Amino acid sequence: MLLMAFDSTQQALRAEMLLDYAEIENDMCPTPKEITAGCALSLEFQEADLPEVRRIIKEERVDIHGLYSKEDGHYVNLEL
């Protein structure tokens, strides 16, 4: 699973709606304490969906704090 963090609740809800519309399975979850973001909500999604998620956030101009993978118990920021 990958994680998308946000700086605003509005953008988190917008991203959830866009991913749902694109039929990309996602789950809203609390932003881990390890990730400092302005919003307490994050979205989890399958790594296989990353190319489509990247396309959506770029085309729809979704403001995100970052994309993260969890490796060895720590979150690693992925490049957009």
Side-chain angles (χ1 to χ4, degrees):
M1 294 294 279
L2 298 180
L3 186 92
M4 186 174 1
F6 303 90
D7 287 322
S8 78
T9 301
Q10 178 184 10
Q11 291 300 308
L13 295 174
R14 183 169 173 249
E16 179 184 39
M17 177 199 65
L18 291 167
L19 295 186
D20 285 345
Y21 184 76
E23 297 183 357
I24 295 173
E25 185 178 328
N26 67 88
D27 291 310
M28 188 74 69
C29 63
T31 300
K33 293 177 184 178
E34 184 178 338
I35 299 173
T36 304
C39 177
L41 299 174
S42 291
L43 286 178
E44 287 185 328
F45 60 94
Q46 296 292 326
E47 189 169 354
D49 293 321
L50 181 58
E52 183 67 4
V53 169
R54 281 186 169 143
R55 184 191 67 75
I56 291 168
I57 61 176
K58 285 182 181 179
E59 285 182 8
E60 298 295 331
R61 296 185 179 121
V62 178
D63 293 326
I64 67 168
H65 181 76
L67 292 170
Y68 299 88
S69 67
K70 193 168 189 177
E71 298 175 13
D72 298 324
H74 299 284
Y75 287 93
V76 177
N77 196 347
L78 304 173
E79 295 295 320
L80 287 177

